């Protein structure tokens, strides 16, 4: 890639020169060597050499070290700048001309018809090389400033130096994202790239820990996560793309600068991380240890709740996470080396085999299947299979979700639904029986009306004596009240059938008198009283029943006083009776 | 006072715990097994699945003369008579009966050939067909499920609950414990109406504890054990009055691979092929330095001596019983070579001495006697001459704790002061001490665990309810 980048640039060196010349002319910085072919050629050669350099150079983190370890690789630019200064080119003007060169080279690359991926890589490499050179330039310039001026603080305030560095370098290149944070970790400034990267978020004033999604809440914790002298990697997800950044926290302890603030540098090393992953994948036997790489680790071991297995071409488990062990009841040692198909039943094995047969690289298929616990218990799973190809070999990641609880919930819901349906049915039946009861009831009422009330009305019609009629009417009213209230006690239609004499006999029986006493009291013969008794029994429907008339009448009287009422309304009270 | 109640509470779900559970369940309906890890089986499930039995059917078939007395002799010899002879005798005497129990009652499947492990006078070792202890724990777990014995995972023993007389009434545990986070889970008190059976294994992974017992076992010495093989249950038992014995007797395994973690697949390769059918050499000199079929202690002592780098070499004929060979090759634990020259180059062994070593060894094999180191030469031991050749790089790893708490012949835990049994307290398996003395012979551990696990379960079930 880098070779081809160097070649691309070398092929276009004439075009680039013309574009650069045009650029510096437009900016009005031509002269004293700038705009010359010789100057251009020296810088260009240096860039090409750097671009063709090994891996390490391109790693932004290594830049300061490279400048220390291999000053020759960047010396040309410093020499060129010094030469320019000697010729009367102030440093900012030289830097500006260099930036123009960087821009035209980038524009040239963008104009080339190369695939996106390759283009990105080329741009990244170029950018890193120019960043490095810029860094070296600034560093040298700063040093020479310090050397030249005995009391730099007086002439050049450190804050101004900082601003310049920030403006000239940081914001434009070396690190991908730059933020300045205060002592509380709140972001006070951010580079344009940073703003772009977090496009949909307000950045200034936000707590950086929150922005970086690292789950910390204080500056103290930030310092724990990103110790100032160390480099840490974090992963940021933006719109489904996963970026890997190296994070440096640089405390600002320059005199005169904001006390306690820091600069947060985030170097985008996504590609490097990916390369590293690929490298690890390819190094050695791809069956095993290389899967310890960052990506796999995060994918496999940071996952919660789901069991993840990595399976090789022999369908043997080569990697398993904690949850997978728990799901199958096997320790990692037992699980690794196990035949995947032994972890499911016949149908599951067939399904998996079919998946393995037809999955293409990167494709993902999901299926409900039975899992087999170590003690032979089976449980429902949702199993997702993805194929990954590495170094010509196939691997599959198997994500297993134990759906026992889910299924139990489903079953419970189903049961509840069924119960509800049964309940509905029962309610319907109850309603129907209530409806039946109601109808029975109506029938009973109409029959009562037919058997008790209608005859009473007839009697009222026939009865000439007003007092008797009134008492019949009262009785009728009571009967109607009884009909509509309670319905608990059965209406005693029998009582209404009794004649006046019979009612009097009843009263006396109720009072505990014997037939002889009743005969004496009513001036009736014993036989007549017995006949009355017989008729009363018949009318009260007590014939053939082993019920004592006295007890019956006593209970009736207690209950509703019907007899008393009948008696009173018929004007039969005490000694008056015989007067009537 | 109590959150839960069972007749019998068993701590640990390895060979001893499961054997105790199954035996107790025969006469007692309320049995529970508690396991602190998130998976059952502990070290048992990752062990090699080798079972020693004296006077077994396969020995009879092959015409091998053996007896419990001979097995006991072997145990005492390797154990340097540190063994409790009564307990050791029980292991030897019940070995075949117990083996048959695993076959007939559990349906465990064994290979139809015996192995001859170091320190045993005769071949008396059965191998599970899957070359793993899981070949036994799995049927045990299936049986437990069928019998309705719950195996409660993620339940950590915290302490024994005793009465004024010292009898064990129950245990305090943490349910929902997530190994190794000490504070996780919820504290519960579980009553054992009859007894508690402790079957928690050894402490080979407890680097701090084992170093206290034996300062030579520094942090950087690996272990073949699963990570949960720690000492907290042993400490709890001692607090409850149990008698610790021989805790400093900790065995290292000589057969584990330098190229993988833990017991792995290489250990069984060494045991089944490297040691019995190959030579063990020092990489620096290319020479043998010990009888490959010595017991583990002698082997480890010889390997640790002057920082030797040990390499076992075996040929095509020698690997015929190495059932983990495929996995070993796949994982790079065992390497395969077309010639001894190639083997010596890759392993950086000086060629000339190595060729000489193999020549001398081969002639010893042909003569039938190893004058140099006294390795027994059975009939099926053949010279190393047929390519491809195989090598495995070895390193000693902490493997087994011979020490533990003292029990009697009924598997009852004995009190440290009175030397009498503690009511309601049984123990079995690697947590117990004194059975194997100074060095446990290979394949005797499973026999021990199963024998005493069953004894503990049966006796505990016969205890009266309290």
């Amino acid at each position: 890639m880098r070779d081809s980048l160097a070649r691309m640039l070398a092929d276009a060196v004439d075009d680039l020169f013309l574009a650069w010349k045009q650029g510096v002319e437009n900016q009005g910085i031509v002269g004293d060597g700038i705009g010359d072919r010789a100057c251009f050629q020296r810088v260009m050669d240096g860039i090409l050499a750097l671009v063709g350099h090994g891996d390490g150079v391109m790693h932004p983190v290594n830049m300061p070290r490279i400048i220390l370890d291999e000053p020759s690789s960047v010396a040309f630019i410093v020499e060129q700048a010094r030469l320019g200064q000697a010729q009367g080119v102030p440093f900012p003007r030289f830097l500006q001309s260099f930036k123009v060169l960087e821009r035209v080279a980038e524009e040239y690359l963008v104009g080339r018809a190369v695939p996106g991926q390759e283009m990105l890589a080329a741009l990244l490499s170029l950018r890193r090389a120019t960043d490095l050179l810029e860094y070296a330039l600034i560093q040298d310039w700063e040093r020479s400033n310090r050397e030249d001026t005995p009391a730099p603080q007086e002439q050049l305030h450190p804050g101004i130096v900082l601003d310049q560095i920030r403006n000239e370098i940081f914001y434009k290149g070396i690190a991908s994202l730059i933020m300045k944070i205060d002592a509380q970790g709140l972001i006070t400034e951010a580079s344009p790239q940073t703003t772009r990267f977090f496009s949909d978020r307000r950045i200034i004033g936000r707590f950086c820990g929150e922005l970086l999604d690292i789950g910390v809440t204080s500056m103290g914790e930030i310092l724990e996560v990103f110790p100032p002298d160390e480099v840490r990697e974090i992963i940021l997800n933006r719109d489904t793309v996963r970026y890997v950044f190296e994070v440096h926290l640089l405390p600002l302890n320059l005199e005169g600068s904001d006390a306690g603030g820091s600069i947060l540098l985030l170097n985008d090393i996504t590609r490097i991380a990916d390369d590293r992953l690929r490298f690890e994948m390819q190094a050695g036997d791809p069956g095993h240890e290389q899967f310890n790489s960052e990506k796999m680790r995060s994918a496999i071991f940071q996952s919660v709740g789901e069991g993840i297995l990595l399976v090789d071409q022999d369908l043997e488990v080569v990697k398993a996470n904690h949850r997978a062990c728990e799901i199958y009841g096997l320790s990692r040692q037992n699980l690794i080396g196990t035949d995947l198909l032994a972890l499911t039943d016949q149908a599951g094995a067939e399904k998996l085999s079919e998946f393995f047969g037809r999955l293409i690289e990167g494709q993902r298929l999901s299926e409900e299947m039975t899992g087999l616990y170590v003690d032979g218990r089976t449980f429902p799973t949702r199993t997702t299979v993805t194929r990954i190809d590495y170094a010509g070999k196939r691997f599959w990641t198997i994500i297993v979700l134990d759906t026992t609880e889910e299924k139990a919930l489903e079953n419970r819901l189903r049961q509840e639904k069924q119960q509800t349906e049964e309940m509905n049915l029962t309610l319907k039946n109850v309603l129907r029986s209530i409806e039946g009861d109601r109808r029975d009831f109506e029938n009973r009422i109409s029959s009562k009306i037919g058997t008790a009330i209608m005859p009473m009305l007839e009697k009222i019609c026939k009865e000439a004596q007003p007092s008797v009629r009134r008492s019949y009417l009262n009785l009728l009213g009571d009967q109607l009240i009884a009909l509509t209230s309670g319905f608990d006690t059965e209406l005693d239609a029998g009582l209404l059938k009794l004649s006046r004499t019979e009612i009097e006999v009843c009263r006396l029986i109720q009072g505990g008198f014997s037939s002889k006493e009743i005969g004496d009291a009513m001036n009736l013969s014993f036989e007549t009283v017995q006949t009355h008794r017989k008729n009363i029994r018949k009318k009260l429907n007590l014939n053939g029943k082993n019920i004592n008339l006295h007890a019956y009448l006593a209970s009736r009287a207690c209950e509703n006083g019907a007899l008393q009422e009948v008696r009173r309304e018929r004007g039969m009270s005490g000694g008056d009776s015989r007067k009537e | 006072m109590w959150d839960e109640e069972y007749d019998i509470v068993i701590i640990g779900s390895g060979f001893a715990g499961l054997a105790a559970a199954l035996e107790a369940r025969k006469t007692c309906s309320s049995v529970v097994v508690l396991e602190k890890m998130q998976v059952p089986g502990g070290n048992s499930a990752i062990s090699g699945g080798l079972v020693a039995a004296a006077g077994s059917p396969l020995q009879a078939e092959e015409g091998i003369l053996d007896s419990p007395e001979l097995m006991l002799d072997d145990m005492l010899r390797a154990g340097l008579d540190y063994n409790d002879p009564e307990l050791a005798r029980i292991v030897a005497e019940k070995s075949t009966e117990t083996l048959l129990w695993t076959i007939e009652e559990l349906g465990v499947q064994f290979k139809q050939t015996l192995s001859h492990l170091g320190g045993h006078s005769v071949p008396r070792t059965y191998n599970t067909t899957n070359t793993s202890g899981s070949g036994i724990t799995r049927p045990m777990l299936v049986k437990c499920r069928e019998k309705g014995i719950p195996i409660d995972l993620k339940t950590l023993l915290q302490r024994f609950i005793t009465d004024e007389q010292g009898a064990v009434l129950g245990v305090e545990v943490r349910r929902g414990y997530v190994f190794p986070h000490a504070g996780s889970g919820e504290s519960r008190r579980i009553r054992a109406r009859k007894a508690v059976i402790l079957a928690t294994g050894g402490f080979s992974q407890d680097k701090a504890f084992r170093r206290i017992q034996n300062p030579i076992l520094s942090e950087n010495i690996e272990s073949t054990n699963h990570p949960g093989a720690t000492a907290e249950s042993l400490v709890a038992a001692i607090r409850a009055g149990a008698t610790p014995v021989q805790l400093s007797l900790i065995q290292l395994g000589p057969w584990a691979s330098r190229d993988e973690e833990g017991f792995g697949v290489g250990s069984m390769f060494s045991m089944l092929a490297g040691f019995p059918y190959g030579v063990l050499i020092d990489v620096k000199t290319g020479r043998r330095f010990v009888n490959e079929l010595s017991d583990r202690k002698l082997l480890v002592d010889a390997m640790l001596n002057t920082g030797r780098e040990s390499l076992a070499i075996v040929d095509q004929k020698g690997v015929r019983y190495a059932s983990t060979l495929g996995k070993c090759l796949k994982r790079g634990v065992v390497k395969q070579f077309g010639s001894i020259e190639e083997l010596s180059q890759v392993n950086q062994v000086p060629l000339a001495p190595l060729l000489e070593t193999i020549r001398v060894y081969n002639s010893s094999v042909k003569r039938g006697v190893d004058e140099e180191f006294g390795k027994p030469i059975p009939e099926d031991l053949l010279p190393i001459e047929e390519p491809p050749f195989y090598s495995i790089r070895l390193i000693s790893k902490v493997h087994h704790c011979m020490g533990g708490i003292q029990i009697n012949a009924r598997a009852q835990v004995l009190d440290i002061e009175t030397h009498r049994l503690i009511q309601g307290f049984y123990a079995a398996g690697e947590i117990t001490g004194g059975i194997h003395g100074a060095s446990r012979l290979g394949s005797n551990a499973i026999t021990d665990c199963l024998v005493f696990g069953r004894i503990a379960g049966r006796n505990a079930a016969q205890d009266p309810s309290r």
Side-chain angles (χ1 to χ4, degrees):
Chain A
M1 176 51 60
R2 290 186 184 104
D3 288 343
S4 72
L5 171 64
R7 216 171 26 253
M8 263 193 278
L9 293 175
D11 289 348
V13 75
D14 289 337
D15 294 345
L16 287 173
F17 172 64
L18 291 175
W20 176 66
K21 198 167 186 318
Q22 186 68 47
V24 290
E25 270 169 17
N26 288 349
Q27 304 233 343
I29 50 170
V30 188
D32 305 317
I34 290 183
D36 288 354
R37 178 78 197 211
C39 166
F40 170 81
Q41 199 61 55
R42 274 194 294 273
V43 176
M44 200 63 212
D45 287 347
I47 292 175
L48 291 179
L50 199 55
V51 162
H53 203 291
D55 232 337
V57 180
M58 293 307 120
H59 196 164
V61 182
N62 293 339
M63 285 182 179
R65 209 174 61 231
I66 281 173
I67 292 169
L68 286 176
D69 296 348
E70 290 187 73
S72 61
S73 63
V74 292
F76 71 95
I77 196 84
V78 175
E79 276 166 29
Q80 193 62 34
R82 284 177 182 167
L83 190 68
Q85 270 174 301
Q87 289 175 352
V89 178
F91 175 76
R93 202 174 121 201
F94 180 80
L95 186 67
Q96 208 176 341
S97 75
F98 177 75
K99 298 296 282 182
V100 173
L101 177 56
E102 185 189 341
R103 201 194 67 230
V104 300
E106 277 187 19
E107 278 170 5
Y108 168 75
L109 285 179
V110 173
R112 295 272 308 219
V114 287
Q117 185 77 24
E118 214 177 316
M119 166 81 73
L120 195 69
L123 280 174
L124 209 64
S125 296
L126 177 66
R127 175 56 74 94
R128 281 176 181 155
T130 53
D131 281 347
L132 180 57
L133 294 172
E134 225 177 319
Y135 186 91
L137 272 176
I138 301 269
Q139 215 190 27
D140 181 64
W141 176 61
E142 248 200 307
R143 203 164 37 231
S144 65
N145 261 338
R146 262 202 301 276
E147 284 161 9
D148 293 347
T149 51
Q153 277 87 353
E154 285 169 24
Q155 289 199 351
L156 203 61
H157 193 276
I160 300 169
V161 176
L162 177 69
D163 278 343
Q164 289 202 354
I165 293 171
R166 188 159 61 208
N167 288 336
E168 292 298 336
I169 314 170
F170 287 175
Y171 278 11
K172 291 180 188 163
I174 285 181
S176 307
L177 307 179
I178 301 148
M179 282 166 269
K180 194 174 163 207
I181 56 176
D182 66 13
Q184 280 72 49
L186 301 178
I187 297 160
T188 54
E189 284 184 61
S191 68
Q193 284 99 321
T194 312
T195 322
R196 251 199 314 280
F197 183 82
F198 297 102
S199 55
D200 58 341
R201 310 192 200 177
R202 196 175 56 84
I203 290 186
I204 306 300
R206 285 264 303 268
F207 179 61
C208 62
E210 184 202 347
L211 193 71
L212 301 181
D213 201 18
I214 47 177
V216 300
T217 54
S218 73
M219 191 59 201
E221 288 176 273
I222 294 272
L223 287 169
E224 269 176 43
V225 178
F226 305 123
D229 296 327
E230 289 177 51
V231 179
R232 291 288 152 89
E233 284 186 22
I234 63 164
I235 292 169
L236 287 175
N237 289 304
R238 301 285 302 138
D239 315 313
T240 74
V241 183
R242 181 176 159 285
Y243 292 90
V244 184
F245 286 95
E246 264 181 1
V247 182
H248 306 235
L249 185 72
L250 308 174
L252 286 176
N253 43 19
L254 282 171
E255 203 186 317
S257 63
D258 301 341
S262 306
I263 283 189
L264 207 50
L265 304 180
L266 279 78
N267 291 318
D268 181 350
I269 57 157
T270 309
R271 272 183 40 77
I272 293 167
D274 288 350
D275 281 348
R276 184 175 58 201
L277 176 78
R278 204 165 299 124
F279 176 73
E280 282 172 3
M281 289 292 182
Q282 283 162 357
D285 176 3
H288 309 283
E289 290 317 311
Q290 75 280 13
F291 284 107
N292 279 329
S293 65
E294 207 92 23
K295 198 170 177 179
M296 249 3 207
R297 253 208 312 270
S298 63
I300 291 179
F301 296 108
Q302 287 175 15
S303 157
V304 255
E306 292 178 357
I308 304 184
L309 303 169
L310 190 69
V311 170
D312 69 6
Q313 269 170 316
D314 306 331
L315 300 192
E316 194 181 299
V317 177
V318 292
K319 211 89 187 154
N321 74 344
H322 204 66
R323 181 64 189 138
C325 296
E326 203 169 333
I327 287 176
Y328 293 106
L330 296 170
S331 71
R332 196 164 291 154
Q333 273 212 29
N334 283 125
L335 196 49
I336 288 174
T338 297
D339 179 2
L340 177 74
L341 303 185
L343 298 174
T344 181
D345 62 359
Q346 179 73 26
E350 279 166 17
K351 196 77 213 172
L352 285 172
S353 304
E354 188 222 311
F355 279 2
F356 294 137
R358 71 186 166 102
L359 270 174
I360 56 165
E361 149 104 87
Q363 196 191 356
R364 168 183 290 245
L365 285 173
S366 212
E367 181 74 29
E368 310 262 318
M369 53 184 79
T370 301
L372 222 50
Y373 194 70
V374 64
D375 65 0
R377 174 174 61 83
T378 58
F379 57 92
T381 71
R382 187 167 314 112
T383 302
T384 306
V385 184
T386 313
R387 187 176 125 187
I388 325 168
D389 290 7
Y390 282 116
K393 291 195 179 177
R394 282 180 199 175
F395 293 90
W396 288 273
T397 55
I398 318 287
I399 300 175
V400 186
L401 190 66
D402 181 346
T403 55
T404 306
E405 280 178 25
E406 208 174 297
K407 287 279 181 239
L409 204 66
E410 268 175 37
N411 278 338
R412 209 154 56 233
L413 279 177
R414 199 174 303 128
Q415 271 174 13
E416 271 170 19
K417 191 162 169 259
Q418 198 181 334
Q419 275 172 3
T420 312
E421 277 167 9
E422 281 169 9
M423 186 79 86
N424 276 340
L425 199 67
T426 313
L427 277 175
K428 245 177 240 165
N429 288 336
V430 168
L431 281 176
R432 197 173 298 136
S433 89
I434 288 174
E435 177 67 16
D437 285 353
R438 196 180 62 84
R439 216 170 291 128
D440 284 355
F441 198 70
E442 284 171 0
N443 289 341
R444 228 167 43 237
I445 288 178
S446 56
S447 88
K448 283 261 163 64
I449 291 173
T451 56
I453 297 180
M454 293 313 285
M456 185 103 68
L457 285 173
E458 273 171 42
K459 273 187 184 166
I460 291 168
C461 287
K462 286 175 193 160
E463 182 62 56
Q465 203 176 325
S467 64
V468 176
R469 232 165 58 195
R470 198 172 60 247
S471 93
Y472 272 129
L473 279 172
N474 284 339
L475 198 66
L476 186 64
D478 286 349
Q479 286 292 337
L480 286 172
I481 287 166
L483 252 185
T484 50
S485 64
F487 299 109
D488 289 323
T489 45
E490 210 179 324
L491 276 176
D492 206 337
L495 282 177
L496 300 172
K497 295 179 192 156
L498 299 179
S499 68
R500 286 174 65 188
T501 317
E502 283 163 357
I503 286 172
E504 188 57 23
V505 171
C506 280
R507 189 185 72 84
L508 291 168
I509 292 170
Q510 197 183 358
F513 296 97
S514 67
S515 291
K516 180 147 186 334
E517 288 166 330
I518 294 170
D520 290 346
M522 292 182 70
N523 205 14
L524 299 171
S525 72
F526 179 78
E527 285 73 26
T528 311
V529 174
Q530 286 300 92
T531 308
H532 281 309
R533 289 186 79 120
K534 207 191 274 169
N535 287 340
I536 290 166
R537 284 190 76 90
K538 200 189 274 170
K539 286 187 179 174
L540 291 181
N541 204 21
L542 296 174
N543 269 347
K545 289 182 186 169
N546 187 18
I547 295 171
N548 178 288
L549 190 58
H550 166 66
Y552 178 81
L553 290 170
S555 74
R556 302 302 305 178
C558 283
E559 262 174 43
N560 51 24
L563 186 62
Q564 290 297 333
E565 191 64 15
V566 171
R567 216 184 117 263
R568 193 165 46 79
E569 291 306 322
R570 287 185 186 177
M572 304 182 293
S573 59
D576 292 348
S577 57
R578 261 162 294 167
K579 284 181 190 161
E580 281 179 47
Chain B
M1 170 85 182
W2 302 103
D3 297 308
E4 299 167 41
E5 275 192 33
Y6 300 91
D7 282 349
I8 293 174
V9 176
I10 297 165
I11 328 269
S13 65
F15 292 128
L18 296 177
L22 289 171
E23 205 59 40
R25 183 65 185 78
K26 287 180 179 169
T27 55
C28 182
S29 61
S30 167
V31 179
V32 70
V33 178
L34 309 179
E35 166 62 52
K36 74 172 170 182
M37 303 304 281
Q38 79 280 13
V39 297
N43 277 328
S44 302
I46 61 170
S47 70
L50 300 173
V51 186
S56 68
L58 273 184
Q59 283 181 326
E61 269 179 41
E62 293 182 21
I64 295 165
L65 281 180
D66 194 10
S67 67
E69 285 68 31
L70 186 57
M71 182 168 167
L72 178 62
D73 280 351
D74 289 344
M75 290 172 77
L76 297 177
R77 191 172 347 102
L80 304 177
D81 286 314
Y82 279 49
N83 322 53
D84 179 321
E86 190 194 359
L87 299 180
R89 177 180 293 279
I90 291 171
V91 172
E93 280 177 349
K94 295 199 175 291
S95 58
T96 293
E97 171 197 322
T98 305
L99 172 86
L100 295 176
W101 171 76
T102 68
I103 297 169
E104 286 155 14
E105 275 198 42
L106 304 175
V108 172
Q109 305 221 326
F110 289 102
K111 290 173 194 161
Q112 286 307 300
T113 50
L114 290 170
S115 294
H116 190 175
L117 265 69
H120 290 277
S121 301
V122 292
R124 61 164 73 97
T125 299
Y126 274 65
N127 298 264
T128 53
T129 47
N130 73 343
T131 326
S132 164
S134 65
I136 303 171
T137 54
R138 199 182 268 268
M140 290 180 105
L141 288 166
V142 170
K143 202 82 175 171
C144 282
R145 185 173 57 88
E146 288 168 2
K147 298 286 177 193
I149 302 169
I151 315 277
D152 291 357
L153 302 173
K154 295 176 167 183
T155 305
L156 173 74
L157 169 71
Q158 290 213 289
R159 64 180 189 97
F160 292 91
I161 297 169
T162 53
D163 66 10
E164 301 80 47
Q165 282 76 46
V168 171
L169 303 179
V171 287
E172 190 176 308
V173 300
R174 292 197 85 86
R175 284 206 180 271
Y177 166 75
V178 180
F179 176 85
H181 306 294
S184 55
E186 244 177 62
S187 193
R188 307 275 283 176
R189 293 164 67 91
I190 302 178
R191 181 178 173 204
R193 282 184 293 255
K194 286 173 182 281
V196 173
I197 301 175
L198 189 63
T200 46
F203 54 86
S204 291
Q205 281 285 13
D206 201 320
K207 291 182 176 171
F209 193 87
R210 72 185 198 200
R211 191 170 191 171
I212 293 168
Q213 305 304 331
N214 182 353
I216 292 166
L217 301 177
S218 62
E219 301 264 321
N220 49 25
I221 298 184
E222 260 195 77
S223 170
T224 59
N225 286 204
H226 82 110
T230 48
E232 76 281 336
S233 66
L234 174 61
V235 172
I238 294 171
R239 275 188 202 282
T243 311
V245 287
Q246 301 170 347
L247 296 185
S248 64
L249 297 180
I250 300 169
Q251 180 179 72
L252 283 85
W255 18 246
S257 160
R258 196 181 273 273
D259 299 306
E260 64 180 340
E261 273 181 26
F263 191 76
V265 288
S267 298
M268 290 308 289
F269 177 85
S270 308
M271 269 187 260
L272 299 177
F275 292 167
Y277 299 110
V279 285
L280 182 60
I281 61 148
D282 182 351
V283 170
K284 290 176 192 158
T285 63
R287 299 192 190 288
R288 287 173 73 206
F289 53 89
V290 69
N291 160 17
E292 291 84 355
L293 277 183
S294 308
D295 83 79
R296 290 169 179 181
K297 182 164 172 44
L298 292 176
L299 272 173
V300 169
D301 289 349
M303 284 166 70
L304 289 177
N305 182 21
T306 64
R308 285 191 172 105
E309 263 187 69
S310 307
L311 188 76
I313 299 170
V314 67
D315 74 348
Q316 181 57 31
K317 290 179 304 237
V319 297
R320 64 193 181 280
Y321 299 124
S323 36
T324 60
L325 178 63
K327 281 183 174 158
C328 288
L329 288 171
K330 194 169 167 182
R331 298 184 194 182
V333 169
V334 170
K335 292 199 167 63
Q336 182 181 327
F337 303 97
S339 67
I340 293 293
E341 287 73 14
E342 201 188 321
L343 184 150
S344 85
Q345 201 180 1
V346 170
N347 285 298
Q348 310 241 300
V349 187
L351 180 59
L354 177 60
L355 288 173
E356 175 63 9
T357 298
I358 292 174
R359 192 191 62 76
V360 171
Y361 172 81
N362 284 350
S363 69
S364 299
V365 170
K366 282 173 192 155
R367 278 205 314 280
V369 55
D370 172 20
E371 278 153 3
E372 236 180 324
F373 296 102
K375 180 178 185 172
I377 315 278
E379 269 178 28
D380 69 340
L381 181 55
L382 301 167
I384 299 173
E385 53 193 13
E386 190 181 316
F389 300 97
Y390 301 87
S391 72
I392 178 167
R393 285 154 31 98
L394 302 175
I395 190 166
S396 298
K397 297 182 186 178
V398 178
H399 184 60
H400 184 91
C401 298
M402 273 76 69
I405 57 175
Q406 195 191 7
I407 54 168
N408 65 14
R410 301 187 75 241
Q412 288 164 307
V413 177
L414 300 180
D415 186 275
I416 190 164
E417 260 182 298
T418 63
H419 312 303
R420 306 249 283 265
L421 62 92
I422 300 174
Q423 289 289 345
F425 195 3
Y426 292 79
E430 199 183 341
I431 187 68
T432 67
I435 294 171
H436 303 285
S439 176
R440 175 179 66 76
L441 289 177
S443 73
N444 274 8
I446 299 184
T447 311
D448 167 24
C449 290
L450 294 174
V451 166
F452 274 105
R454 294 182 71 207
I455 289 174
R458 195 178 309 129
N459 290 334
Q462 282 161 8
D463 275 359
S465 281
R466 296 170 294 180

